[in-house]
Amino acid sequence: MRNTILTIASVGLAALALYLLSHMQGTSGLLSALTLIFIWGIAAVSLNLINGQLGILSLGHHGFMLIGGYVTALLMLPAKERRPFRTRLLSDWARNDLDLDKWLRGLGLDTIANSVDLKFVIALFLAGLAAAFIGIIVGAPSLRLKGDYLAIVTFGFGEIIRLLPNAPQVAAFTNGPLGIKGIPGNAGSIWWTFVVFLLVIWFFSRLKFSSYGRAFEGIREDEIAAEAMGVGLAYHKVLAFTLSAFFAGVAGGLYASYLQSVDTQTFNFFVTFFLLVAISLGGLGSITGAVLGTAIVILVRIYGGFLEESHTAFVGYISGAAVMLAAFAFSVYIRKSRRLRPVVEPKHYIFGGLGILLLLVALLFQGQPWMTQKVQFFGMRRILLAVILILIMIYRREGLMGRAELAWNKVFGSREDIPSDEQRDQDAWLSNPDLNPGAAKEDDDASA
Amino acid sequence: MPLLELRNIYKAFGGLQAISNVSLNVNEGEIVSIIGPNGAGKSTLFNLITGVYKPDSGDIIFEGKKLNGLTPDQVTKRGVARTFQNLRLFTHLTVLENILIPQHHRLKTGWLGAVLRLPKYLREEEEMRKIALEKLSFFGPRLMSFRLHQPVYVLSYANRRRAEMARAMATGAKLLLLDEPSAGMNPKETKEITQIIRRFRDEGGYTIVVVEHKMNLVGDISDRVIVLDYGEKIAEGDYKDVVNDPKVIEAYLGRKEE
């Protein structure tokens, strides 16, 4: 009860914050960053169901997103945007009749057809269904494979799906490599993504903490044992794959309408790669972690621009020194907090020494011409992301959140897995022969 | 009618005849031990019964129905559950979750109902938790209270063995196949396991097949002992008769040179 109230309150607060942000000046950058976090968050959470909870490495997620993107685009494209399609690729049917608006009016549902928002909901749902359908077709034969083999097969299927829109027969619907432009953009606004994001988080957290979620995690922990305990592997794998594909399709639809265009390069393999980085950063198997990882990656990419601007060499030296000193402080902290042998070894002082050296160089030669000349580091954002990823893999391999979720019980409640003093005594009594002479006597019997 | 019946089972891996012409019966409420030297085919027999391997020929009949050709999860649904020789718990999940997963196959609500937390699902979940606690209480207070919420990897070895038995019980099976339940346990714990296996039958109403190397445990609990050697059944009967059978002694110790 308390948890429900807290959840509703924080969702309300988030909505209020969004409302205020969208009415302030100069926040459009932040708003589009948030939109992207929500969209890619949905995709990351859905990939997390397969890669984190089910423990299967799937590399075909961009294919499902692409299907969702194209389906949403085709269904939502307004009539006046269809006419300029002068290309011979597009068939007449796709140009004139592949239109949700027309279908709805044909069914006499004019009220729905008049509202772009309602149409968008329907289009997103159909996009998800299309992706889920392809998910079953791809998943059913390939999920009997394991490990690397499955990863390669899913990658292959993902690429096939991505390249299909270019094939002449399919291009009759998809306009080939030119893609589709002019999707109504207001449907991809921050409110839409926010609401869909909340629904997806709700869905996946409910799923994770249900019997089905436990079955998925059982398969991840030990496939043979899970099967021996009555968990049908084929059914559960295909189920997870399909659900994941569905929400990947929804994310793809949202992204297409955010961009207002879609083509085969919108969802290339780097999409899956980016999602994998995000969920490994946040923690495989954790929904909170998937969202957190996505947020980190997107924020670094959007707000990391200053890293790639042109600075004087002086700034470069100072920031190099700062990084080295931070690394020194971090390694000292890690070492000192070890339980066994909390010693800082000489090699760790190398970082500190280098940092101080750089700092000295920077300060001593401050006015020199080679110090004031401009330098520019292209690609620093990606390097920064890569460094973050490396550090996480070395120091916290399970990701920022591990498999844990952010939960009210963890914030406020007591931890059930830590024994009370009474329970600790009881436990000692069970295993200590001095306290429990009965147990010791049994022991004698057994050895006799 | 026997609960489990194996009729002329053959299984070969390439050129190696792992099981040849093994027939055996297990009656309801019995504790049957299968013993034999290393490589005799004991674990293969378990894998054949539980559907991990398919027999080359022969029938496996449980409660009058054939188990041949079923996958392991279907076999478990029919009522045969096993433990593993080298523990196969869900290591990163809590003890309680480990005991809930084997009950998943009895869930009648679909995934959408589970996500929506329909009243029917909540009732089933409640029931699953009750059964889990009931099965764990078989092992005394060791796995109860705070241990329920600890991940399995913090448990001691003996507690893991107990958890694995509780997990097999929670599938709702009638027949438990225990693969070396006392492997790696000290004499005190072995004795406790002996009592627990007996309580499985007397209080839990399970029928039990045990593969075991510790002869005093086998002698303590078995109603019947079956000896395998090179994939063939060489003896069957009372523990005392079997261990004095010259064929069994030969299988374990070799023939005396004349």
Side-chain angles (χ1 to χ4, degrees), chain A residues 206 209-212 214 221-222 225 227-230 232 236 239 403 417 423 427 443, chain B residues 73 76 82 88 90 92 101 104-105 109 111 115 117 121 125 145 147 149-150 188:
Chain A
R206 280 292 186 86
F209 294 105
S210 75
S211 190
Y212 285 86
R214 282 195 299 265
E221 293 296 321
D222 193 326
E227 198 178 19
M229 291 303 129
H236 285 88
L239 173 66
R403 282 174 185 145
D417 59 331
Q423 287 170 331
D427 216 39
D443 200 6
Chain B
D73 57 297
T76 307
R82 69 175 297 183
R88 279 183 174 274
F90 307 121
H92 289 93
I101 288 174
H104 175 70
H105 69 83
T109 323
W111 59 270
V115 168
R117 299 281 192 273
Y121 171 76
E125 176 89 21
S145 72
R147 285 263 157 78
H149 304 285
Q150 283 184 335
K188 179 187 143 198

mmCIF file of all heavy atoms in Angstrom, chain A residues 206 209-212 214 221-222 225 227-230 232 236 239 403 417 423 427 443, chain B residues 73 76 82 88 90 92 101 104-105 109 111 115 117 121 125 145 147 149-150 188:
data_model
loop_
_atom_site.group_PDB
_atom_site.id
_atom_site.type_symbol
_atom_site.label_atom_id
_atom_site.label_comp_id
_atom_site.label_asym_id
_atom_site.label_seq_id
_atom_site.Cartn_x
_atom_site.Cartn_y
_atom_site.Cartn_z
ATOM 1 N N ARG A 206 6.385 -6.213 -13.573
ATOM 2 C CA ARG A 206 5.392 -7.208 -13.172
ATOM 3 C C ARG A 206 5.783 -8.593 -13.679
ATOM 4 O O ARG A 206 5.632 -9.590 -12.995
ATOM 5 C CB ARG A 206 4.020 -6.837 -13.728
ATOM 6 C CG ARG A 206 3.286 -5.783 -12.936
ATOM 7 C CD ARG A 206 2.910 -6.340 -11.608
ATOM 8 N NE ARG A 206 2.084 -5.461 -10.798
ATOM 9 C CZ ARG A 206 0.760 -5.404 -10.881
ATOM 10 N NH1 ARG A 206 0.118 -6.111 -11.751
ATOM 11 N NH2 ARG A 206 0.087 -4.619 -10.085
ATOM 12 N N PHE A 209 8.756 -10.139 -11.660
ATOM 13 C CA PHE A 209 8.444 -10.643 -10.330
ATOM 14 C C PHE A 209 7.218 -11.537 -10.336
ATOM 15 O O PHE A 209 6.484 -11.605 -9.368
ATOM 16 C CB PHE A 209 8.293 -9.487 -9.345
ATOM 17 C CG PHE A 209 9.592 -8.772 -9.134
ATOM 18 C CD1 PHE A 209 9.827 -7.538 -9.688
ATOM 19 C CD2 PHE A 209 10.599 -9.378 -8.415
ATOM 20 C CE1 PHE A 209 11.033 -6.896 -9.514
ATOM 21 C CE2 PHE A 209 11.814 -8.757 -8.244
ATOM 22 C CZ PHE A 209 12.036 -7.509 -8.789
ATOM 23 N N SER A 210 6.982 -12.214 -11.460
ATOM 24 C CA SER A 210 5.918 -13.205 -11.495
ATOM 25 C C SER A 210 6.558 -14.574 -11.659
ATOM 26 O O SER A 210 7.776 -14.692 -11.777
ATOM 27 C CB SER A 210 4.971 -12.930 -12.665
ATOM 28 O OG SER A 210 5.592 -13.321 -13.868
ATOM 29 N N SER A 211 5.710 -15.579 -11.666
ATOM 30 C CA SER A 211 6.222 -16.940 -11.804
ATOM 31 C C SER A 211 6.957 -17.106 -13.132
ATOM 32 O O SER A 211 7.943 -17.842 -13.223
ATOM 33 C CB SER A 211 5.059 -17.913 -11.704
ATOM 34 O OG SER A 211 5.523 -19.221 -11.603
ATOM 35 N N TYR A 212 6.475 -16.399 -14.165
ATOM 36 C CA TYR A 212 7.131 -16.502 -15.467
ATOM 37 C C TYR A 212 8.523 -15.896 -15.429
ATOM 38 O O TYR A 212 9.466 -16.442 -15.989
ATOM 39 C CB TYR A 212 6.267 -15.839 -16.546
ATOM 40 C CG TYR A 212 5.078 -16.683 -16.902
ATOM 41 C CD1 TYR A 212 3.913 -16.584 -16.173
ATOM 42 C CD2 TYR A 212 5.150 -17.610 -17.918
ATOM 43 C CE1 TYR A 212 2.825 -17.384 -16.457
ATOM 44 C CE2 TYR A 212 4.077 -18.410 -18.225
ATOM 45 C CZ TYR A 212 2.911 -18.298 -17.495
ATOM 46 O OH TYR A 212 1.854 -19.098 -17.774
ATOM 47 N N ARG A 214 10.437 -15.727 -12.869
ATOM 48 C CA ARG A 214 11.301 -16.667 -12.142
ATOM 49 C C ARG A 214 11.716 -17.811 -13.053
ATOM 50 O O ARG A 214 12.863 -18.257 -13.022
ATOM 51 C CB ARG A 214 10.563 -17.227 -10.927
ATOM 52 C CG ARG A 214 10.512 -16.289 -9.756
ATOM 53 C CD ARG A 214 10.114 -17.035 -8.503
ATOM 54 N NE ARG A 214 8.797 -17.622 -8.620
ATOM 55 C CZ ARG A 214 7.692 -17.052 -8.184
ATOM 56 N NH1 ARG A 214 7.742 -15.880 -7.592
ATOM 57 N NH2 ARG A 214 6.530 -17.642 -8.323
ATOM 58 N N GLU A 221 19.973 -19.377 -15.130
ATOM 59 C CA GLU A 221 20.907 -19.944 -14.165
ATOM 60 C C GLU A 221 21.379 -21.324 -14.582
ATOM 61 O O GLU A 221 22.556 -21.642 -14.452
ATOM 62 C CB GLU A 221 20.255 -20.025 -12.781
ATOM 63 C CG GLU A 221 19.960 -18.697 -12.146
ATOM 64 C CD GLU A 221 21.224 -17.913 -11.854
ATOM 65 O OE1 GLU A 221 22.219 -18.517 -11.442
ATOM 66 O OE2 GLU A 221 21.209 -16.690 -12.056
ATOM 67 N N ASP A 222 20.445 -22.163 -14.998
ATOM 68 C CA ASP A 222 20.820 -23.527 -15.363
ATOM 69 C C ASP A 222 19.716 -24.132 -16.216
ATOM 70 O O ASP A 222 18.658 -24.499 -15.718
ATOM 71 C CB ASP A 222 21.025 -24.365 -14.094
ATOM 72 C CG ASP A 222 21.718 -25.677 -14.407
ATOM 73 O OD1 ASP A 222 21.474 -26.227 -15.490
ATOM 74 O OD2 ASP A 222 22.490 -26.138 -13.563
ATOM 75 N N ALA A 225 18.819 -27.854 -15.362
ATOM 76 C CA ALA A 225 18.051 -27.978 -14.121
ATOM 77 C C ALA A 225 16.647 -27.431 -14.309
ATOM 78 O O ALA A 225 15.671 -28.034 -13.845
ATOM 79 C CB ALA A 225 18.755 -27.254 -12.994
ATOM 80 N N GLU A 227 14.871 -27.336 -16.977
ATOM 81 C CA GLU A 227 14.073 -28.291 -17.735
ATOM 82 C C GLU A 227 13.681 -29.480 -16.860
ATOM 83 O O GLU A 227 12.545 -29.945 -16.902
ATOM 84 C CB GLU A 227 14.844 -28.761 -18.972
ATOM 85 C CG GLU A 227 13.941 -29.376 -20.002
ATOM 86 C CD GLU A 227 14.686 -29.799 -21.251
ATOM 87 O OE1 GLU A 227 15.912 -29.938 -21.174
ATOM 88 O OE2 GLU A 227 14.026 -30.002 -22.276
ATOM 89 N N ALA A 228 14.644 -29.937 -16.038
ATOM 90 C CA ALA A 228 14.347 -31.074 -15.165
ATOM 91 C C ALA A 228 13.310 -30.702 -14.112
ATOM 92 O O ALA A 228 12.680 -31.575 -13.527
ATOM 93 C CB ALA A 228 15.618 -31.568 -14.489
ATOM 94 N N MET A 229 13.139 -29.408 -13.844
ATOM 95 C CA MET A 229 12.151 -28.981 -12.849
ATOM 96 C C MET A 229 10.819 -28.616 -13.506
ATOM 97 O O MET A 229 9.983 -27.940 -12.913
ATOM 98 C CB MET A 229 12.689 -27.797 -12.047
ATOM 99 C CG MET A 229 13.823 -28.173 -11.137
ATOM 100 S SD MET A 229 13.337 -29.473 -10.000
ATOM 101 C CE MET A 229 14.654 -30.639 -10.238
ATOM 102 N N GLY A 230 10.654 -28.992 -14.765
ATOM 103 C CA GLY A 230 9.352 -28.852 -15.395
ATOM 104 C C GLY A 230 9.136 -27.557 -16.149
ATOM 105 O O GLY A 230 8.030 -27.275 -16.579
ATOM 106 N N GLY A 232 9.271 -25.713 -19.386
ATOM 107 C CA GLY A 232 9.423 -26.044 -20.804
ATOM 108 C C GLY A 232 10.316 -25.025 -21.492
ATOM 109 O O GLY A 232 9.962 -23.853 -21.568
ATOM 110 N N HIS A 236 9.075 -21.207 -23.093
ATOM 111 C CA HIS A 236 9.468 -19.999 -22.357
ATOM 112 C C HIS A 236 10.445 -19.143 -23.149
ATOM 113 O O HIS A 236 10.405 -17.915 -23.073
ATOM 114 C CB HIS A 236 10.033 -20.368 -20.992
ATOM 115 C CG HIS A 236 8.966 -20.774 -20.027
ATOM 116 N ND1 HIS A 236 8.527 -22.069 -19.926
ATOM 117 C CD2 HIS A 236 8.214 -20.045 -19.188
ATOM 118 C CE1 HIS A 236 7.555 -22.117 -19.034
ATOM 119 N NE2 HIS A 236 7.345 -20.917 -18.562
ATOM 120 N N LEU A 239 8.424 -17.426 -25.814
ATOM 121 C CA LEU A 239 7.574 -16.410 -25.173
ATOM 122 C C LEU A 239 8.383 -15.144 -24.882
ATOM 123 O O LEU A 239 7.977 -14.034 -25.236
ATOM 124 C CB LEU A 239 6.987 -16.971 -23.872
ATOM 125 C CG LEU A 239 6.212 -15.982 -23.014
ATOM 126 C CD1 LEU A 239 4.949 -15.534 -23.729
ATOM 127 C CD2 LEU A 239 5.854 -16.571 -21.662
ATOM 128 N N ARG A 403 21.880 -7.397 -10.563
ATOM 129 C CA ARG A 403 20.555 -7.877 -10.950
ATOM 130 C C ARG A 403 19.482 -7.243 -10.099
ATOM 131 O O ARG A 403 18.322 -7.577 -10.189
ATOM 132 C CB ARG A 403 20.494 -9.395 -10.791
ATOM 133 C CG ARG A 403 21.184 -10.051 -11.939
ATOM 134 C CD ARG A 403 21.288 -11.517 -11.765
ATOM 135 N NE ARG A 403 22.074 -12.034 -12.859
ATOM 136 C CZ ARG A 403 22.897 -13.037 -12.753
ATOM 137 N NH1 ARG A 403 23.051 -13.636 -11.606
ATOM 138 N NH2 ARG A 403 23.574 -13.451 -13.786
ATOM 139 N N ASP A 417 16.975 -10.924 4.216
ATOM 140 C CA ASP A 417 17.986 -11.975 4.140
ATOM 141 C C ASP A 417 19.051 -11.831 5.220
ATOM 142 O O ASP A 417 19.934 -12.661 5.319
ATOM 143 C CB ASP A 417 18.641 -11.977 2.741
ATOM 144 C CG ASP A 417 19.293 -10.655 2.427
ATOM 145 O OD1 ASP A 417 18.816 -9.633 2.949
ATOM 146 O OD2 ASP A 417 20.261 -10.635 1.663
ATOM 147 N N GLN A 423 17.717 -15.005 15.439
ATOM 148 C CA GLN A 423 17.885 -16.024 14.394
ATOM 149 C C GLN A 423 19.332 -16.476 14.301
ATOM 150 O O GLN A 423 19.621 -17.646 14.061
ATOM 151 C CB GLN A 423 17.431 -15.457 13.050
ATOM 152 C CG GLN A 423 15.924 -15.321 12.959
ATOM 153 C CD GLN A 423 15.506 -14.545 11.731
ATOM 154 O OE1 GLN A 423 16.242 -13.689 11.254
ATOM 155 N NE2 GLN A 423 14.320 -14.834 11.241
ATOM 156 N N ASP A 427 20.724 -20.221 14.722
ATOM 157 C CA ASP A 427 21.564 -20.819 13.696
ATOM 158 C C ASP A 427 22.826 -21.412 14.307
ATOM 159 O O ASP A 427 23.234 -22.532 13.984
ATOM 160 C CB ASP A 427 21.940 -19.741 12.684
ATOM 161 C CG ASP A 427 21.993 -20.294 11.296
ATOM 162 O OD1 ASP A 427 21.133 -21.125 10.991
ATOM 163 O OD2 ASP A 427 22.899 -19.907 10.542
ATOM 164 N N ASP A 443 26.311 -37.344 15.980
ATOM 165 C CA ASP A 443 27.569 -37.455 15.265
ATOM 166 C C ASP A 443 28.324 -38.710 15.709
ATOM 167 O O ASP A 443 28.821 -39.484 14.896
ATOM 168 C CB ASP A 443 28.399 -36.196 15.566
ATOM 169 C CG ASP A 443 29.462 -36.005 14.515
ATOM 170 O OD1 ASP A 443 29.449 -36.769 13.533
ATOM 171 O OD2 ASP A 443 30.283 -35.096 14.679
ATOM 172 N N ASP B 73 11.029 -31.824 -19.196
ATOM 173 C CA ASP B 73 9.986 -31.091 -18.473
ATOM 174 C C ASP B 73 8.655 -31.830 -18.500
ATOM 175 O O ASP B 73 7.897 -31.806 -17.526
ATOM 176 C CB ASP B 73 9.844 -29.666 -19.019
ATOM 177 C CG ASP B 73 9.542 -29.633 -20.502
ATOM 178 O OD1 ASP B 73 10.390 -30.101 -21.272
ATOM 179 O OD2 ASP B 73 8.456 -29.167 -20.880
ATOM 180 N N THR B 76 8.818 -34.523 -15.876
ATOM 181 C CA THR B 76 8.610 -33.950 -14.556
ATOM 182 C C THR B 76 7.133 -33.666 -14.316
ATOM 183 O O THR B 76 6.613 -33.893 -13.228
ATOM 184 C CB THR B 76 9.435 -32.664 -14.406
ATOM 185 O OG1 THR B 76 10.783 -32.960 -14.744
ATOM 186 C CG2 THR B 76 9.366 -32.123 -13.007
ATOM 187 N N ARG B 82 14.031 -35.314 -10.132
ATOM 188 C CA ARG B 82 15.355 -35.824 -9.802
ATOM 189 C C ARG B 82 16.194 -34.757 -9.108
ATOM 190 O O ARG B 82 15.915 -33.571 -9.191
ATOM 191 C CB ARG B 82 16.075 -36.252 -11.071
ATOM 192 C CG ARG B 82 16.441 -35.076 -11.940
ATOM 193 C CD ARG B 82 17.246 -35.491 -13.126
ATOM 194 N NE ARG B 82 18.516 -36.067 -12.708
ATOM 195 C CZ ARG B 82 19.450 -36.474 -13.556
ATOM 196 N NH1 ARG B 82 19.246 -36.353 -14.855
ATOM 197 N NH2 ARG B 82 20.567 -36.970 -13.124
ATOM 198 N N ARG B 88 22.853 -28.713 -9.089
ATOM 199 C CA ARG B 88 22.459 -27.798 -10.161
ATOM 200 C C ARG B 88 21.351 -26.890 -9.666
ATOM 201 O O ARG B 88 20.261 -26.867 -10.223
ATOM 202 C CB ARG B 88 21.972 -28.593 -11.371
ATOM 203 C CG ARG B 88 23.088 -29.107 -12.236
ATOM 204 C CD ARG B 88 22.513 -29.808 -13.432
ATOM 205 N NE ARG B 88 23.543 -30.183 -14.354
ATOM 206 C CZ ARG B 88 24.024 -29.388 -15.292
ATOM 207 N NH1 ARG B 88 23.571 -28.167 -15.408
ATOM 208 N NH2 ARG B 88 24.972 -29.814 -16.101
ATOM 209 N N PHE B 90 19.714 -23.076 -8.863
ATOM 210 C CA PHE B 90 19.749 -21.776 -9.550
ATOM 211 C C PHE B 90 20.536 -20.827 -8.654
ATOM 212 O O PHE B 90 19.976 -20.161 -7.788
ATOM 213 C CB PHE B 90 18.336 -21.277 -9.819
ATOM 214 C CG PHE B 90 17.489 -22.281 -10.535
ATOM 215 C CD1 PHE B 90 16.309 -22.746 -9.986
ATOM 216 C CD2 PHE B 90 17.886 -22.777 -11.766
ATOM 217 C CE1 PHE B 90 15.534 -23.677 -10.654
ATOM 218 C CE2 PHE B 90 17.108 -23.713 -12.440
ATOM 219 C CZ PHE B 90 15.943 -24.163 -11.878
ATOM 220 N N HIS B 92 22.125 -17.976 -8.402
ATOM 221 C CA HIS B 92 21.990 -16.563 -8.037
ATOM 222 C C HIS B 92 20.592 -16.194 -7.555
ATOM 223 O O HIS B 92 20.335 -15.047 -7.238
ATOM 224 C CB HIS B 92 22.388 -15.666 -9.209
ATOM 225 C CG HIS B 92 23.850 -15.696 -9.471
ATOM 226 N ND1 HIS B 92 24.424 -16.557 -10.388
ATOM 227 C CD2 HIS B 92 24.866 -15.011 -8.921
ATOM 228 C CE1 HIS B 92 25.720 -16.387 -10.378
ATOM 229 N NE2 HIS B 92 26.022 -15.453 -9.508
ATOM 230 N N ILE B 101 10.314 -22.157 -8.524
ATOM 231 C CA ILE B 101 10.425 -22.452 -9.961
ATOM 232 C C ILE B 101 9.883 -23.848 -10.310
ATOM 233 O O ILE B 101 9.143 -23.992 -11.275
ATOM 234 C CB ILE B 101 11.875 -22.252 -10.435
ATOM 235 C CG1 ILE B 101 12.194 -20.757 -10.461
ATOM 236 C CG2 ILE B 101 12.083 -22.841 -11.830
ATOM 237 C CD1 ILE B 101 13.620 -20.436 -10.760
ATOM 238 N N HIS B 104 6.286 -23.950 -11.105
ATOM 239 C CA HIS B 104 5.780 -23.111 -12.197
ATOM 240 C C HIS B 104 4.944 -23.910 -13.184
ATOM 241 O O HIS B 104 3.956 -23.415 -13.718
ATOM 242 C CB HIS B 104 6.973 -22.462 -12.904
ATOM 243 C CG HIS B 104 6.602 -21.667 -14.102
ATOM 244 N ND1 HIS B 104 5.922 -20.477 -14.014
ATOM 245 C CD2 HIS B 104 6.796 -21.883 -15.420
ATOM 246 C CE1 HIS B 104 5.720 -20.000 -15.217
ATOM 247 N NE2 HIS B 104 6.235 -20.829 -16.097
ATOM 248 N N HIS B 105 5.321 -25.181 -13.410
ATOM 249 C CA HIS B 105 4.597 -25.939 -14.433
ATOM 250 C C HIS B 105 3.171 -26.241 -14.028
ATOM 251 O O HIS B 105 2.355 -26.630 -14.862
ATOM 252 C CB HIS B 105 5.352 -27.233 -14.778
ATOM 253 C CG HIS B 105 5.366 -28.247 -13.682
ATOM 254 N ND1 HIS B 105 4.342 -29.113 -13.469
ATOM 255 C CD2 HIS B 105 6.297 -28.518 -12.737
ATOM 256 C CE1 HIS B 105 4.629 -29.890 -12.438
ATOM 257 N NE2 HIS B 105 5.803 -29.540 -11.974
ATOM 258 N N THR B 109 -2.546 -19.970 -14.755
ATOM 259 C CA THR B 109 -2.713 -18.632 -15.339
ATOM 260 C C THR B 109 -1.668 -18.422 -16.431
ATOM 261 O O THR B 109 -0.524 -18.825 -16.282
ATOM 262 C CB THR B 109 -2.513 -17.558 -14.257
ATOM 263 O OG1 THR B 109 -3.058 -18.040 -13.036
ATOM 264 C CG2 THR B 109 -3.198 -16.270 -14.638
ATOM 265 N N TRP B 111 0.680 -15.927 -19.114
ATOM 266 C CA TRP B 111 1.615 -14.856 -18.772
ATOM 267 C C TRP B 111 0.932 -13.510 -18.610
ATOM 268 O O TRP B 111 1.297 -12.716 -17.763
ATOM 269 C CB TRP B 111 2.741 -14.770 -19.800
ATOM 270 C CG TRP B 111 2.287 -14.527 -21.210
ATOM 271 C CD1 TRP B 111 1.968 -15.475 -22.133
ATOM 272 C CD2 TRP B 111 2.071 -13.269 -21.844
ATOM 273 N NE1 TRP B 111 1.567 -14.885 -23.301
ATOM 274 C CE2 TRP B 111 1.623 -13.537 -23.154
ATOM 275 C CE3 TRP B 111 2.216 -11.950 -21.431
ATOM 276 C CZ2 TRP B 111 1.316 -12.529 -24.056
ATOM 277 C CZ3 TRP B 111 1.912 -10.937 -22.332
ATOM 278 C CH2 TRP B 111 1.471 -11.235 -23.619
ATOM 279 N N VAL B 115 1.014 -11.081 -15.380
ATOM 280 C CA VAL B 115 1.446 -9.676 -15.405
ATOM 281 C C VAL B 115 0.367 -8.779 -14.815
ATOM 282 O O VAL B 115 0.653 -7.853 -14.063
ATOM 283 C CB VAL B 115 1.782 -9.252 -16.843
ATOM 284 C CG1 VAL B 115 1.952 -7.753 -16.933
ATOM 285 C CG2 VAL B 115 3.048 -9.938 -17.303
ATOM 286 N N ARG B 117 -1.668 -9.603 -12.612
ATOM 287 C CA ARG B 117 -1.922 -10.022 -11.231
ATOM 288 C C ARG B 117 -3.414 -10.282 -10.985
ATOM 289 O O ARG B 117 -4.018 -9.729 -10.055
ATOM 290 C CB ARG B 117 -1.430 -8.966 -10.226
ATOM 291 C CG ARG B 117 0.064 -8.694 -10.278
ATOM 292 C CD ARG B 117 0.832 -9.771 -9.555
ATOM 293 N NE ARG B 117 2.218 -9.388 -9.360
ATOM 294 C CZ ARG B 117 3.195 -9.600 -10.250
ATOM 295 N NH1 ARG B 117 2.933 -10.191 -11.400
ATOM 296 N NH2 ARG B 117 4.423 -9.241 -9.979
ATOM 297 N N TYR B 121 -4.303 -15.656 -10.283
ATOM 298 C CA TYR B 121 -2.848 -15.799 -10.222
ATOM 299 C C TYR B 121 -2.352 -15.600 -8.800
ATOM 300 O O TYR B 121 -1.510 -16.359 -8.307
ATOM 301 C CB TYR B 121 -2.164 -14.800 -11.150
ATOM 302 C CG TYR B 121 -0.678 -14.767 -10.955
ATOM 303 C CD1 TYR B 121 0.119 -15.792 -11.458
ATOM 304 C CD2 TYR B 121 -0.062 -13.769 -10.211
ATOM 305 C CE1 TYR B 121 1.470 -15.799 -11.239
ATOM 306 C CE2 TYR B 121 1.292 -13.765 -9.989
ATOM 307 C CZ TYR B 121 2.059 -14.782 -10.508
ATOM 308 O OH TYR B 121 3.408 -14.799 -10.286
ATOM 309 N N GLU B 125 -0.144 -18.131 -6.613
ATOM 310 C CA GLU B 125 1.162 -17.731 -6.076
ATOM 311 C C GLU B 125 1.214 -18.003 -4.565
ATOM 312 O O GLU B 125 2.195 -18.539 -4.048
ATOM 313 C CB GLU B 125 1.373 -16.244 -6.384
ATOM 314 C CG GLU B 125 2.635 -15.643 -5.817
ATOM 315 C CD GLU B 125 3.823 -15.772 -6.742
ATOM 316 O OE1 GLU B 125 3.625 -15.952 -7.956
ATOM 317 O OE2 GLU B 125 4.959 -15.684 -6.230
ATOM 318 N N SER B 145 13.092 -19.057 7.673
ATOM 319 C CA SER B 145 13.236 -17.648 8.096
ATOM 320 C C SER B 145 14.157 -16.868 7.169
ATOM 321 O O SER B 145 13.903 -16.788 5.979
ATOM 322 C CB SER B 145 13.647 -17.558 9.569
ATOM 323 O OG SER B 145 14.981 -17.941 9.761
ATOM 324 N N ARG B 147 16.977 -17.433 5.808
ATOM 325 C CA ARG B 147 17.639 -18.184 4.720
ATOM 326 C C ARG B 147 16.794 -18.228 3.455
ATOM 327 O O ARG B 147 17.306 -18.343 2.351
ATOM 328 C CB ARG B 147 17.907 -19.625 5.175
ATOM 329 C CG ARG B 147 19.048 -19.739 6.127
ATOM 330 C CD ARG B 147 20.339 -20.128 5.417
ATOM 331 N NE ARG B 147 21.499 -19.720 6.200
ATOM 332 C CZ ARG B 147 21.936 -20.367 7.260
ATOM 333 N NH1 ARG B 147 21.334 -21.469 7.643
ATOM 334 N NH2 ARG B 147 22.968 -19.916 7.925
ATOM 335 N N HIS B 149 15.440 -15.973 1.964
ATOM 336 C CA HIS B 149 15.667 -14.841 1.074
ATOM 337 C C HIS B 149 17.133 -14.654 0.735
ATOM 338 O O HIS B 149 17.509 -13.663 0.143
ATOM 339 C CB HIS B 149 15.097 -13.576 1.716
ATOM 340 C CG HIS B 149 13.654 -13.720 2.048
ATOM 341 N ND1 HIS B 149 12.665 -13.678 1.092
ATOM 342 C CD2 HIS B 149 13.017 -13.987 3.215
ATOM 343 C CE1 HIS B 149 11.497 -13.874 1.666
ATOM 344 N NE2 HIS B 149 11.676 -14.069 2.948
ATOM 345 N N GLN B 150 17.947 -15.623 1.150
ATOM 346 C CA GLN B 150 19.357 -15.524 0.785
ATOM 347 C C GLN B 150 19.588 -16.222 -0.546
ATOM 348 O O GLN B 150 18.956 -17.232 -0.844
ATOM 349 C CB GLN B 150 20.219 -16.206 1.861
ATOM 350 C CG GLN B 150 20.370 -15.349 3.088
ATOM 351 C CD GLN B 150 21.295 -15.970 4.108
ATOM 352 O OE1 GLN B 150 21.464 -17.181 4.139
ATOM 353 N NE2 GLN B 150 21.877 -15.137 4.941
ATOM 354 N N LYS B 188 27.840 -37.194 9.996
ATOM 355 C CA LYS B 188 26.651 -36.706 10.699
ATOM 356 C C LYS B 188 25.581 -36.301 9.703
ATOM 357 O O LYS B 188 24.409 -36.667 9.823
ATOM 358 C CB LYS B 188 27.047 -35.517 11.570
ATOM 359 C CG LYS B 188 25.901 -34.909 12.325
ATOM 360 C CD LYS B 188 26.361 -33.649 13.022
ATOM 361 C CE LYS B 188 25.268 -32.604 13.004
ATOM 362 N NZ LYS B 188 25.772 -31.277 13.277
#
